[in-house]
Amino acid sequence: MLIANDVSCARASIISSNFERLGYTDTLITSTDVSNLTSSLKGNADLVILDAPCSGEGMIRKYPEIIENLKEEEYRKLEDIQMSLLDEAYSLLKEDGILVYSTCTYNPGEDELQLLNFLERYKDMELIPADFKASSSKLKGTVKLSPLNGTEGQFISILKKNSNTSSSKIKYLKTVKNSIVEKFIKDNLNIKDYYLYSKESNYYLSLKPMPEIKGTIRAGLHIGQLKKDRFEPSHMLYRSNELKDKFRYRYELNDSEYRNYIKGLELNLDLPDNYYLLTYKGHSFAYGRVKKGIMKNKYPKGLREMV
């Protein structure tokens, strides 16, 4: 299970759509203070990736206006935030858990010195050396890249927790029941054990129970929306990597059918009325609904090729 958090709700929403396009099912998206993650998941994380807010010196070439904000007091403020986030990350980790700490800046105070300070505070944390010859980092085992490496700029370090600290007991979200949605799942998917959640008229599904965390935007995969007395599945349901082998009805498009479908055209197909997972060259990419020999096009308009 993957939990992704950004304190900015707008950025968290972008993360949510990215995950769905990648086909991830058992994900929970939150927009909250990291302390809320820690209070719910303390000592339970196998892996924490902390892409910390930073001064962004690596992005100056792309955003020159960053220079105007590079004042000493701003550096100190960011270093305090990074220190606090590292403390929270440590609390989240279980024994043998891995922490990846990264920034997009060159400032040693936010990179090497920040990491040395962290290792001094937590003696049970071990730096896992990264063998990367192109690194310009002053701290052996960490990676620092610059435009000389063909990047904007990045600092990356990997650490391991070598002690067993106290952990919190995870509380899970309450599932919901809806006969219309459950009938759709039974009719279209070969799965018996799943967890169903809802937000307003939208429904979400996961194969693992989702933890209860303050600031949750989405728990599980968005599978569709209830519209009056019918359920309309979502494009993202049919993009799921974990569910792609569970669909009862599927259809492999040939080259001509694929080209027409991604343009938004309907297809004449001699198939029983139903929803179908559509594949092309073995890869699932969309779905369609057949009614009286015509497959209604359900490919999102924003993805269609208008040629």
Side-chain angles (χ1 to χ4, degrees):
M1 180 178 61
L2 177 63
I3 299 171
N5 178 71
D6 198 301
V7 71
S8 164
C9 189
R11 288 198 296 267
S13 297
I14 294 172
I15 292 172
S16 178
S17 62
N18 286 344
F19 281 170
E20 289 185 331
R21 284 203 304 276
L22 289 167
Y24 296 152
T25 301
D26 293 323
T27 57
L28 189 142
I29 314 298
T30 61
S31 179
T32 189
D33 188 275
V34 179
S35 62
N36 290 321
L37 297 181
T38 306
S39 63
S40 299
L41 304 170
K42 181 180 178 182
N44 283 283
D46 299 290
L47 169 68
V48 174
I49 300 176
L50 172 54
D51 184 25
C54 65
S55 54
E57 293 173 348
M59 303 298 288
I60 288 176
R61 183 170 62 175
K62 190 174 182 180
Y63 303 108
E65 62 271 18
I66 289 176
I67 298 176
E68 299 175 5
N69 298 321
L70 294 182
K71 299 178 175 62
E72 185 174 353
E73 57 270 25
E74 185 64 23
Y75 279 116
R76 300 291 85 78
K77 178 181 177 182
L78 286 166
E79 288 168 10
D80 288 344
I81 292 173
Q82 292 154 6
M83 183 181 297
S84 175
L85 290 174
L86 280 165
D87 290 340
E88 298 286 1
Y90 174 84
S91 295
L92 282 167
L93 286 173
K94 62 167 59 172
E95 184 177 9
D96 294 327
I98 299 296
L99 167 63
V100 177
Y101 174 72
S102 69
T103 72
C104 57
T105 192
Y106 307 121
N107 176 26
E110 300 173 73
D111 297 341
E112 293 95 335
L113 296 178
Q114 184 70 265
L115 204 58
L116 287 171
N117 191 349
F118 175 71
L119 290 168
E120 183 65 28
R121 295 200 304 279
Y122 300 102
K123 302 293 186 180
D124 56 339
M125 292 299 296
E126 170 192 1
L127 180 64
I128 306 298
D131 185 14
F132 197 83
K133 295 180 181 179
S135 174
S136 61
S137 175
K138 302 300 182 182
L139 179 57
K140 187 177 181 181
T142 62
V143 176
K144 179 169 281 188
L145 305 175
S146 74
L148 297 176
N149 306 113
T151 74
E152 298 295 340
Q154 188 84 37
F155 175 80
I156 306 168
S157 57
I158 306 171
L159 304 102
K160 179 182 176 183
K161 186 175 185 177
N162 292 319
S163 69
N164 185 12
T165 53
S166 61
S167 61
S168 58
K169 184 177 180 180
I170 298 177
K171 295 181 180 179
Y172 293 98
L173 287 170
K174 292 182 179 179
T175 57
V176 299
K177 289 186 174 296
N178 183 282
S179 59
I180 297 174
V181 180
E182 290 172 297
K183 184 179 186 305
F184 174 88
I185 294 172
K186 182 179 179 180
D187 291 345
N188 290 275
L189 289 162
N190 284 309
I191 57 172
K192 293 182 179 180
D193 299 321
Y194 60 86
Y195 301 84
L196 191 64
Y197 308 99
S198 69
K199 189 174 183 180
E200 296 174 347
S201 60
N202 291 289
Y203 283 79
Y204 303 83
L205 179 147
S206 68
L207 301 179
K208 300 181 180 70
M210 295 282 110
E212 183 179 349
I213 300 174
K214 183 179 179 180
T216 293
I217 294 176
R218 195 204 76 202
L221 175 73
H222 180 229
I223 62 170
Q225 188 175 22
L226 199 61
K227 296 183 177 180
K228 294 184 179 180
D229 59 347
R230 68 180 181 87
F231 181 72
E232 181 68 27
S234 74
H235 172 70
M236 300 310 173
L237 170 61
Y238 291 84
R239 290 284 298 122
S240 169
N241 290 325
E242 289 161 287
L243 298 178
K244 64 182 179 182
D245 296 325
K246 307 294 185 182
F247 287 95
R248 298 183 186 275
Y249 308 100
R250 58 181 65 225
Y251 181 75
E252 170 78 9
L253 299 180
N254 61 35
D255 291 345
S256 175
E257 291 168 340
Y258 173 75
R259 286 194 296 269
N260 286 330
Y261 200 79
I262 62 174
K263 293 176 184 177
L265 302 178
E266 296 180 342
L267 303 177
N268 293 312
L269 298 173
D270 186 18
L271 292 171
D273 289 3
N274 223 309
Y275 289 100
Y276 288 83
L277 168 68
L278 298 180
T279 61
Y280 177 62
K281 296 185 177 181
H283 299 287
S284 56
F285 76 97
Y287 82 101
R289 186 182 187 185
V290 172
K291 292 188 73 174
K292 298 180 179 180
I294 297 177
M295 178 168 281
K296 302 293 183 180
N297 197 299
K298 297 294 184 178
Y299 200 50
K301 293 181 179 179
L303 300 178
R304 296 176 184 177
E305 292 187 4
M306 298 301 181
V307 292

